[in-house]
Amino acid sequence: MCIRRNRFITASGCGQGGDVFKFVMEMEKCAFPEAIRIVAEKCGIAVPRPKERSPEERKENQLRAVLVEIHREAQTFLVKQLEGTLEGKAARAYLEDRGLDKDTVERFGIGYAPSGGDLLLRHFRGKYPEKNLVESGLISRDQSGAKLRPVPAADNVSDCE
């Protein structure tokens, strides 16, 4: 027997539940996009196929994915700096003094960039091409263009004013 509540179905025997898409995914052993296509087809709804991308668009999408990955990894690194270092301990105390509790810090993914500044650069070295690191906006070249350096947070903030 199934119990239906608010467009969700729950099987009374095993407790499994979900919406129509989860049901199709379980029954057909398919991923979410395929479940959408199956349900749409049964309902007579046309689902447009993804358009072919030009080589330039594919290259841009690949670069965007790498940049997002770099930023996610940087955020994870900076959160670990906040949670697990002596400087991070002082930063956590500062955040608490400003009224940010641990739940808020975690929810917003707040991290800490150590005062030395080059830890993030050392963390990334060898993982990503220098060109991508510079393109990410987290790393820049010095004035001579020869050496990489971390971008100070104040440099990034000033662009937003």
Side-chain angles (χ1 to χ4, degrees):
M1 182 169 129
C2 290
I3 301 168
R4 185 175 175 193
R5 292 191 184 121
N6 296 333
R7 298 186 184 151
F8 289 92
I9 297 173
T10 304
S12 58
C14 65
Q16 282 276 64
D19 60 14
V20 65
F21 300 108
K22 184 172 181 186
F23 176 78
V24 171
M25 288 167 60
E26 291 288 325
M27 294 302 293
E28 301 293 329
K29 305 287 188 242
C30 66
F32 184 71
E34 183 60 25
I36 289 176
R37 279 192 274 286
I38 291 169
V39 171
E41 186 177 294
K42 289 197 182 283
C43 294
I45 300 170
V47 176
R49 295 278 177 201
K51 69 173 189 156
E52 279 295 314
R53 305 247 188 256
S54 70
E56 294 84 23
E57 288 173 319
R58 282 196 297 273
K59 191 173 182 180
E60 285 176 17
N61 286 344
Q62 288 172 341
L63 175 61
R64 187 176 300 113
V66 169
L67 296 177
V68 167
E69 181 181 320
I70 289 171
H71 277 262
R72 283 191 179 132
E73 188 169 335
Q75 191 263 341
T76 299
F77 176 82
L78 296 173
V79 165
K80 286 181 181 175
Q81 295 302 304
L82 180 67
E83 293 172 351
T85 65
L86 288 176
E87 280 187 71
K89 183 177 181 180
R92 285 192 313 275
Y94 171 78
L95 292 172
E96 284 179 25
D97 288 345
R98 299 291 305 259
L100 297 171
D101 62 11
K102 185 175 180 164
D103 289 339
T104 302
V105 170
E106 286 177 7
R107 185 170 2 126
F108 288 96
I110 296 173
Y112 175 73
S115 60
D118 67 339
L119 280 179
L120 183 61
L121 176 60
R122 284 191 277 156
H123 174 76
F124 280 139
R125 205 174 283 286
K127 290 186 176 185
Y128 299 99
E130 289 182 0
K131 180 182 176 186
N132 290 356
L133 293 174
V134 171
E135 184 78 20
S136 77
L138 298 172
I139 308 294
S140 66
R141 295 200 176 277
D142 63 6
Q143 289 187 348
S144 70
K147 287 179 58 181
L148 292 176
R149 68 176 183 90
V151 173
D155 287 358
N156 288 334
V157 173
S158 65
D159 293 340
C160 298
E161 294 177 15

